[in-house]
Amino acid sequence: MILDAKQTTVAYRCPHCGSGVLGMVGMFSLSADMLKLKCACGESEMTILYTKDKKIRMTVPCILCPTPHNFTVNSSVFFKNELFVLPCPYSDVNVAMIGEENQVKAELSRTELELLELLEESGQENFDALHGEQTLTDPQIFDVIMFVIRELDAEGKIYCKCKTDEEGDYEAEVLDDAIRVSCKRCGASQIIPTDSFLGAHAFLNADSLHLE
């Protein structure tokens, strides 16, 4: 008897060279060990782990942020959807795509166009500028980001690990090249980069902030 093994296509975009990275993930191979999906340039990788409680834990490089994002989804969502996307917490840009191969490839192409438009709007020429050592020319960028944080807090759109019936107690700390937003009660936090124009620009369009 031949078993119809569960498998799906996973993809992300390398933040260093801008290439789309695709790989096939099967339930059997995933349950054996952690899988790593590496870019051919050797500068980034996506890790995928099947946990004991039958969930999929992923660490995904982000083309807009200086550090990867962590996601956890149910295995049924991971293997049974034609297309399931994971967005950057600070923007509407999808950083990981999971599902049927053609659907994933189509979403990679769509997000590439979206990123190219963002590059054009910010005056950059290519993907190399996303994570380069670039100093922001606008001295008010911290004030603008702090304004967005206050607006999200006032609208109840900052989410942390506190229980749903308990409001978090949030604070923002200004660092040299970022702003750290954290909850005093549960300890969850998130860093908003300010050393990349595109990263800051993406946050200005965010409609929510998720602390981890």
Side-chain angles (χ1 to χ4, degrees):
M1 181 177 67
I2 299 176
L3 295 176
D4 183 16
K6 292 180 180 179
Q7 62 181 15
T8 192
T9 300
V10 179
Y12 75 95
R13 188 167 297 283
C14 177
H16 296 275
C17 70
S19 298
V21 186
L22 289 89
M24 187 69 69
V25 177
M27 172 65 84
F28 291 154
S29 60
L30 186 57
S31 61
D33 200 0
M34 174 188 288
L35 293 182
K36 294 183 179 181
L37 183 60
K38 297 184 179 182
C39 181
C41 75
E43 296 296 327
S44 71
E45 66 178 24
M46 174 181 177
T47 62
I48 309 169
L49 177 67
Y50 186 66
T51 65
K52 293 181 179 179
D53 56 354
K54 298 182 179 181
K55 293 183 179 180
I56 310 295
R57 184 173 298 155
M58 291 165 283
T59 300
V60 184
C62 180
I63 201 163
L64 293 175
C65 301
T67 56
H69 300 304
N70 297 314
F71 302 97
T72 301
V73 301
N74 292 325
S75 57
S76 59
V77 172
F78 188 84
F79 284 106
K80 293 184 179 180
N81 283 271
E82 288 191 358
L83 181 65
F84 181 74
V85 296
L86 297 169
C88 165
Y90 308 120
S91 70
D92 294 328
V93 176
N94 296 325
V95 295
M97 305 88 188
I98 305 157
E100 191 272 328
E101 182 178 1
N102 290 332
Q103 296 266 16
V104 169
K105 288 181 177 179
E107 180 61 19
L108 265 179
S109 298
R110 189 197 68 79
T111 56
E112 182 176 13
L113 293 175
E114 186 177 13
L115 288 166
L116 289 173
E117 290 178 1
L118 187 57
L119 282 172
E120 184 178 354
E121 289 176 3
S122 57
Q124 304 300 329
E125 296 182 354
N126 52 51
F127 289 112
D128 294 336
L130 292 175
H131 287 263
E133 295 181 358
Q134 177 187 9
T135 301
L136 294 173
T137 57
D138 187 353
Q140 296 181 332
I141 190 66
F142 284 104
D143 293 335
V144 174
I145 290 180
M146 289 294 292
F147 173 79
V148 175
I149 293 172
R150 287 193 292 268
E151 287 292 299
L152 293 176
D153 188 15
E155 295 173 4
K157 293 183 178 179
I158 298 181
Y159 305 100
C160 59
K161 296 180 180 179
C162 290
K163 297 179 180 179
T164 54
D165 58 348
E166 179 183 359
E167 293 184 0
D169 185 5
Y170 306 117
E171 64 177 357
E173 177 186 2
V174 177
L175 308 176
D176 290 338
D177 56 358
I179 295 177
R180 179 190 292 117
V181 181
S182 57
C183 176
K184 296 179 182 178
R185 292 176 178 168
C186 68
S189 65
Q190 191 62 264
I191 291 179
I192 302 160
T194 57
D195 59 347
S196 162
F197 184 88
L198 289 179
H201 184 277
F203 179 71
L204 300 185
N205 296 320
D207 56 6
S208 64
L209 177 60
H210 295 263
L211 311 185
E212 301 177 355

